[in-house]
């Protein structure tokens, strides 16, 4: 299976977002760039101010291909005490973590603030300790940020963020909003917006950047009443069945809902259950050929439909295409 990534579309999405937010832009490329591959970072670097990843491994991988700053989300501080990279900006949530990264040579760091999500981030007491440490050592954070847990909570969390970051030490490059910044008319968007899902095309006015396709590797005329794949599924009519090189090991899930691939602009339903490496689709009436592509995702609504069928969200669908899936950048 292949994912085809249109980096020109991604750059255009970023320009559209920046025209709305009118502040600095942090490209969120964690989780292999939401399934688009960390390599996209080098293609979009000219139009962004910095990057954000989730783990130290992701940060070191990104640092090998880009030159701009890379913020890492909070969590395990230990990897940064072993390896120093001037591009990487670790996130800390308490004074112990801050001391560890400073002693390891990091001159830039971010502070995560807990404004109600209660996932990671410093509370008021921990922030007080961080501020005192910064003053004693004559240092300031590179950035200070928090994260919305719901759009409806934006006013409350924004107020709390302002309150908790009132000390001048915590006023450097503040950022609170991710792609939600595009929907917050009249809000203070602070110094920077962190965008992931909108950058990849999943927001009004944006174009999706990834299409997912697999080759047709078999074509068979199968008679009514014959079995297709594992289990007890049988055809209720004669059909032309195409075998597609895509299975659940590639990110195509097994579900009771009717899924489809698009071939020559026609939605062709998956017949029977996907196998580990292959699935079968009904292409009756189409003049398709061996070796041509069937598209699991050709348009935004295809991804949204998959998420609905899987009982999940678009993010999980996109990040499910990994491992042996081949990425092509255009």
């Amino acid at each position: 299976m292949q994912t085809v990534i249109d980096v020109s579309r991604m750059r255009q999405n970023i320009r559209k977002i920046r025209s709305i937010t009118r502040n600095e832009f942090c490209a969120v490329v964690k989780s292999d760039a939401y399934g688009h591959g960390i390599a996209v970072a080098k293609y979009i670097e000219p139009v962004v101010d910095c990057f954000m990843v989730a783990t130290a491994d992701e940060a070191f991988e990104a640092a090998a291909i880009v030159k701009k700053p890379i913020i890492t989300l909070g969590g395990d501080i230990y990897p940064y005490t072993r390896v120093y990279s001037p591009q990487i900006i670790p996130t800390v949530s308490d004074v112990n973590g801050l001391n560890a990264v400073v002693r390891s040579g990091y001159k830039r760091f971010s502070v995560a603030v807990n404004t109600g999500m209660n996932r990671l981030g410093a509370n008021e007491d921990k922030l007080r300790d961080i501020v005192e440490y910064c003053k004693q050592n004559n240092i300031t954070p590179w950035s200070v940020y928090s994260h919305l847990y719901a759009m409806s909570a934006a006013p409350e969390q924004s107020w709390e963020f302002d309150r908790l970051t009132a000390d001048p030490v915590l006023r450097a490059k503040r950022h609170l909003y991710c792609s939600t910044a595009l929907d917050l008319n009249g809000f203070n968007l602070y110094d920077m917006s962190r965008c992931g899902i909108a950058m990849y095309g999943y927001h009004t006015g944006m174009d999706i950047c990834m299409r997912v396709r697999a080759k047709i590797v078999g074509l068979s005329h199968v008679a009514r009443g014959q079995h297709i794949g594992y289990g007890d599924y049988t055809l209720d009519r004669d059909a032309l069945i195409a075998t597609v090189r895509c299975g659940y090991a590639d990110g195509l899930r097994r579900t009771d809902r009717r899924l489809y691939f698009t071939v020559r602009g026609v939605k062709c339903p998956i017949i029977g259950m996907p196998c580990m490496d292959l699935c079968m689709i009904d292409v009756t009436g189409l003049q398709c050929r061996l070796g041509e592509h069937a598209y699991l995702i050709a348009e935004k609504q295809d991804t949204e439909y998959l998420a609905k069928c899987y009982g999940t969200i678009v993010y999980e669908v996109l990040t499910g295409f990994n491992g042996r899936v081949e990425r092509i950048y255009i």
Side-chain angles (χ1 to χ4, degrees):
M1 193 164 76
Q2 298 173 331
T3 55
V4 182
I5 318 300
D6 189 331
V7 293
S8 63
R9 282 192 174 191
M10 195 175 300
R11 288 192 291 264
Q12 184 59 28
N13 287 342
I14 293 169
R15 293 186 184 101
K16 288 180 182 178
I17 294 167
R18 298 195 73 148
S19 72
I20 297 169
T21 61
R22 298 188 180 280
N23 58 7
E24 290 191 28
F25 186 96
C26 177
V28 182
V29 292
K30 64 177 183 173
S31 302
D32 220 7
Y34 290 37
H36 295 66
I38 191 63
V40 300
K42 66 182 178 182
Y43 296 108
I44 63 174
E45 186 171 15
V47 293
V48 309
D49 296 293
C50 61
F51 298 93
M52 176 173 272
V53 296
T55 68
D57 285 345
E58 289 180 343
F60 295 130
E61 185 178 5
I65 60 175
V66 297
K67 298 185 183 305
K68 289 185 177 175
I70 303 161
I71 310 171
T72 61
L73 292 167
D76 187 10
I77 293 297
Y78 178 69
Y80 309 108
T81 66
R82 301 181 61 195
V83 180
Y84 170 75
S85 170
Q87 276 179 265
I88 296 174
I89 302 171
T91 290
V92 300
S93 298
D94 56 42
V95 75
N96 291 332
L98 174 54
N99 183 57
V101 297
V102 169
R103 287 173 62 87
S104 299
Y106 285 89
K107 311 221 181 295
R108 298 188 296 182
F109 60 92
S110 288
V111 175
V113 180
N114 180 15
T115 57
M117 191 172 186
N118 295 304
R119 181 173 61 178
L120 289 172
N123 60 21
E124 193 165 4
D125 291 338
K126 291 179 179 179
L127 283 173
R128 192 178 299 114
D129 293 339
I130 288 172
V131 168
E132 183 61 28
Y133 182 97
C134 288
K135 289 178 178 178
Q136 288 177 358
N137 291 275
N138 195 30
I139 58 176
T140 56
W142 186 84
S143 80
V144 178
Y145 68 92
S146 188
H147 191 58
L148 290 188
Y149 59 83
M151 279 287 292
S152 59
E156 176 186 347
Q157 286 189 259
S158 178
W159 181 88
E160 181 71 353
F161 187 53
D162 285 337
R163 186 184 73 83
L164 291 172
T165 60
D167 193 289
V169 169
L170 299 175
R171 288 274 162 163
K173 204 187 294 288
R174 293 188 301 162
H175 44 114
L176 175 60
Y177 306 118
C178 52
S179 294
T180 54
L182 299 173
D183 301 312
L184 294 170
N185 294 327
F187 276 67
N188 172 17
L189 299 183
Y190 301 102
D191 303 304
M192 185 163 69
S193 296
R194 311 182 304 266
C195 283
I197 200 69
M199 179 176 76
Y200 300 114
Y202 290 88
H203 192 278
T204 303
M206 306 298 160
D207 295 317
I208 66 166
C209 306
M210 179 170 75
R211 285 167 173 75
V212 181
R213 68 190 188 187
K215 284 186 178 181
I216 294 174
V217 295
L219 285 168
S220 303
H221 290 280
V222 183
R224 176 179 179 272
Q226 292 295 305
H227 287 265
I228 300 292
Y230 292 114
D232 298 325
Y233 186 90
T234 55
L235 288 175
D236 58 7
R237 59 174 174 79
D238 295 350
L240 177 62
I241 300 299
T243 300
V244 179
R245 178 61 75 186
C246 174
Y248 56 78
D250 303 296
L252 173 66
R253 300 190 193 178
R254 293 161 60 94
T255 174
D256 292 334
R257 301 288 293 272
R258 179 57 65 91
L259 303 182
Y260 62 84
F261 279 77
T262 299
V263 180
R264 301 192 175 196
V266 177
K267 290 180 170 60
C268 301
I270 294 178
I271 302 299
M273 278 298 201
C275 308
M276 184 181 292
D277 314 299
L278 301 164
C279 65
M280 283 67 75
I281 62 175
D282 186 348
V283 294
T284 304
L286 294 181
Q287 299 299 313
C288 54
R289 302 186 302 272
L290 290 175
E292 74 173 275
H293 289 108
Y295 283 81
L296 182 61
I297 295 177
E299 305 292 342
K300 185 181 299 185
Q301 56 264 34
D302 297 334
T303 320
E304 294 166 345
Y305 179 73
L306 284 172
K308 181 179 179 180
C309 290
Y310 295 162
T312 187
I313 57 177
V314 164
Y315 300 73
E316 190 173 353
V317 173
L318 294 175
T319 57
F321 302 117
N322 50 42
R324 66 185 181 184
V325 175
E326 178 190 6
R327 290 194 181 97
I328 299 171
Y329 297 96
I330 61 173

